[in-house]
């Protein structure tokens, strides 16, 4: 038997009564709500990932389903809930954090392999049981891996288009962002969005399969293509959107009311015609794609950022899939002007860092600085620089 834990900042579920640190979240009510909903859908296990519908590395508060359900706020993890069990899988960066944030309703699995999740599900779910997930929150590869893990076991992988966590969360779920989506001035981009669209259409023409459309799901793809920016996700200048670009039409799926006047005018400047951007409701992308793929078409997409939900709408013979879309590939090659802007941004950031190091040298000996005030200070130096839109991630500040 292990010696009792001397650490009081992590949970101890073997103690009687179990010990929970003050940082742990009570998840009993949330789990009970979800289990009720799972039961009405005839589901035996429900899988909850940490991503959003665009396979973003970082997500908005509205998409933090895993955090709401488990209390765990790390950036990577997967939860599985059955009627009598609940488990979270995450990697070694987050084991201590999970032990601090979760209550004893949850088992912590110290791995992230889908094989391990599959094994756990096979033990927890009876043969002929249904294992369910929201297909619009899983990549094509991840879906295939789950399918493989359950193959031949008698369990069915059942996609459910209503998200059961969202149902349980109800009106407590944070609202979608309502901040403005703005145009990035030409002085930063070096190319107009019309030139970028022409370049992508040229790639479509030159491809041996002659695709008739490109589907964009990654948030940075649409932002880059139209020279637009937003702040729907902290530290990331993107906004929720999809794009379907064909040889003759452009459909942008976005909350239209959020576009600034200048952004809307820029997008509509080519109307009518092949450079006219048709604005569609964000939530209409599936319906629109279903309609479009009825015709004699080929849709080109990048599998890294497209969810299984959208992928499954397109008939296989009408699909051209590569790891990355042509927009992601074009975006990766910076033009001379973008290179110049990148260098200038790094110089401005270097100035902020030097100011900070100088401030630290003067202030640390006085014993007045801690890690938190240090992080606040470097943020202030960065904000003071021209063109600053804030840091690209929360400052990681440590000493000792």
């Amino acid at each position: 038997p292990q010696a009792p834990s001397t650490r009081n900042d992590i949970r101890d579920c073997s103690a009687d009564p179990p010990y929970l640190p003050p940082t742990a979240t009570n998840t009993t009510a949330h789990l009970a709500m979800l289990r009720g909903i799972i039961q009405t859908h005839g589901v035996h296990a429900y899988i909850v990932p940490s991503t959003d519908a665009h396979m973003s590395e970082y997500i908005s508060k509205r998409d933090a389903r895993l955090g709401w359900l488990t209390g765990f706020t790390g950036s990577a993890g997967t939860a599985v809930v059955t009627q009598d069990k609940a488990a979270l899988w995450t990697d070694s960066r987050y084991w201590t954090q999970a032990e601090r944030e979760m209550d004893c309703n949850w088992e912590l699995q110290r791995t992230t392999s889908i094989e391990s999740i599959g094994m756990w599900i096979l033990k927890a779910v009876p043969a002929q049981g249904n294992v369910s997930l929201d297909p619009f929150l899983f990549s094509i590869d991840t879906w295939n891996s789950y399918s493989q893990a359950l193959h031949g076991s008698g369990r069915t992988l059942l996609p459910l288009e209503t998200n059961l966590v969202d149902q349980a969360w109800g009106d407590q779920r944070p609202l979608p962002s309502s901040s403005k989506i703005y145009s990035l001035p030409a002085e930063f981009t070096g190319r107009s969005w019309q030139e970028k669209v022409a370049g992508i259409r040229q790639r479509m023409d030159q491809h041996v399969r002659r695709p008739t459309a490109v589907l964009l799901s990654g948030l940075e793809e649409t932002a880059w293509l139209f020279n637009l920016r937003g702040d729907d996700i902290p530290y990331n200048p993107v906004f929720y959107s999809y794009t379907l670009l064909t040889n003759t039409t452009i459909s942008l799926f976005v909350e239209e009311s959020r576009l600034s006047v200048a952004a809307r005018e820029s997008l509509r400047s080519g109307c009518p015609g092949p450079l006219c951007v048709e604005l569609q409701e964000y939530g209409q992308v599936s319906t629109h794609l279903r309609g479009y793929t009825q015709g004699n078409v080929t849709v080109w997409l990048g599998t890294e950022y497209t969810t299984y939900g959208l992928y499954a709408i397109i008939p296989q013979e009408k699909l051209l899939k590569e790891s990355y879309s042509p927009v992601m590939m074009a975006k990766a090659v910076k033009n001379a002007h973008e290179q110049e802007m990148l260098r200038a941004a790094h110089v401005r950031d270097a100035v902020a860092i030097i100011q900070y190091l100088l401030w630290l040298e003067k202030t640390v000996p006085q014993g007045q600085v801690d890690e938190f005030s240090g992080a606040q200070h470097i943020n202030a130096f960065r904000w003071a620089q021209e063109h600053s839109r804030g840091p690209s991630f929360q400052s990681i500040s440590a000493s000792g």
Side-chain angles (χ1 to χ4, degrees):
Q2 285 190 317
S5 168
T6 50
R7 288 184 65 166
N8 62 0
D9 65 337
I10 63 171
R11 63 184 187 160
D12 183 357
C13 296
S14 63
D16 186 21
Y19 170 74
L20 292 177
T23 46
T25 302
N26 182 341
T27 63
T28 305
H30 292 178
L31 270 170
M33 268 189 288
L34 180 62
R35 284 177 168 141
I37 293 165
I38 285 175
Q39 201 161 14
T40 59
H41 281 270
V43 166
H44 296 91
Y46 192 64
I47 309 175
V48 182
S50 52
T51 56
D52 64 12
H54 303 271
M55 302 290 102
S56 307
E57 184 179 0
Y58 304 103
I59 56 170
S60 68
K61 284 192 168 71
R62 182 173 170 79
D63 285 311
R65 298 173 179 91
L66 191 73
W68 177 83
L69 183 64
T70 65
F72 168 69
T73 60
S75 69
T78 303
V80 181
V81 177
T82 68
Q83 280 308 327
D84 58 352
K85 287 189 174 73
L88 172 87
W89 284 258
T90 189
D91 64 76
S92 56
R93 291 174 298 170
Y94 292 121
W95 293 343
T96 304
Q97 182 177 337
E99 296 282 17
R100 285 173 180 164
E101 292 183 331
M102 295 197 304
D103 62 10
C104 291
N105 287 316
W106 292 89
E107 300 167 23
L108 174 61
Q109 303 286 334
R110 288 175 158 79
T111 167
T112 54
S113 81
I114 290 178
E115 204 177 10
S116 148
I117 300 174
M119 301 283 284
W120 188 92
I121 288 172
L122 293 182
K123 281 188 194 145
V125 173
Q128 273 50 68
N130 287 328
V131 179
S132 224
L133 47 74
D134 177 346
F136 291 96
L137 292 181
F138 287 85
S139 71
I140 300 159
D141 285 350
T142 307
W143 168 275
N144 290 336
S145 300
Y146 279 114
S147 191
Q148 196 58 47
L150 300 178
H151 182 73
S153 71
R155 281 81 170 172
T156 306
L157 192 57
L158 185 70
L160 279 181
E161 297 205 358
T162 19
N163 188 291
L164 305 190
V165 174
D166 292 352
Q167 272 192 332
W169 206 344
D171 56 11
Q172 297 302 298
R173 187 180 174 209
L175 294 167
S177 175
S178 56
S179 61
K180 279 283 173 247
I181 297 165
Y182 58 94
S183 285
L184 200 61
E187 65 190 271
F188 295 111
T189 61
R191 281 172 85 198
S192 69
W193 69 259
Q194 290 89 341
E195 289 173 285
K196 291 179 179 180
V197 165
I200 301 304
R201 283 179 169 156
Q202 193 177 357
R203 287 183 182 221
M204 289 160 68
D205 278 344
Q206 289 166 351
H207 198 288
V208 60
R209 291 269 316 269
R210 301 299 291 271
T212 59
V214 174
L215 175 66
L216 305 179
S217 293
L219 298 182
E220 60 268 48
E221 298 182 287
T222 289
W224 177 85
L225 184 64
F226 296 112
N227 293 335
L228 295 176
R229 298 292 185 268
D231 61 358
D232 293 12
I233 296 175
Y235 309 108
N236 290 263
V238 294
F239 52 92
Y240 285 101
S241 55
Y242 294 96
T243 301
L244 188 69
L245 171 67
T246 78
N247 317 52
T248 53
T249 64
I250 310 167
S251 300
L252 171 59
F253 300 86
V254 68
E255 209 51 63
E256 186 179 344
S257 62
R258 296 183 50 208
L259 290 165
S260 71
V261 174
R264 189 177 294 131
E265 280 175 3
S266 159
L267 296 172
R268 307 291 293 162
S269 59
C271 299
L275 287 172
C276 167
V277 180
E278 293 162 27
L279 299 169
Q280 314 255 10
E281 277 303 305
Y282 171 74
Q284 288 301 304
V285 65
S286 300
T287 312
H288 187 92
L289 191 58
R290 205 168 268 119
Y292 179 74
T293 52
Q294 301 296 306
N296 179 22
V297 298
T298 303
V299 179
W300 191 0
L301 56 80
T303 54
E304 288 290 315
Y305 288 87
T306 309
T307 61
Y308 181 79
L310 283 179
Y311 164 82
I313 290 171
I314 307 164
Q316 286 295 308
E317 69 280 5
K318 296 179 180 183
L319 191 64
L320 166 58
K321 55 179 185 179
E322 290 173 3
S323 292
Y324 298 101
S325 77
V327 169
M328 204 56 110
M329 300 305 278
K331 171 184 165 296
V333 181
K334 301 301 178 195
N335 62 42
H337 192 72
E338 285 171 315
Q339 292 177 36
E340 195 187 316
M341 293 292 104
L342 280 166
R343 288 189 194 102
H346 276 287
V347 169
R348 290 194 301 274
D349 194 61
V351 171
I353 300 261
I354 292 164
Q355 289 173 321
Y356 177 62
L357 294 174
L358 186 66
W359 176 82
L360 273 183
E361 275 178 32
K362 286 179 180 167
T363 324
V364 168
Q366 299 164 21
Q368 297 301 306
V369 188
D370 59 23
E371 292 171 352
F372 184 65
S373 67
Q376 285 181 305
H377 224 84
I378 194 164
N379 284 352
F381 283 129
R382 285 184 159 138
W383 271 114
Q385 285 295 325
E386 194 186 3
H387 307 307
S388 173
R389 307 296 300 214
S392 61
F393 57 87
Q394 195 170 8
S395 290
I396 299 170
S397 172
S399 70

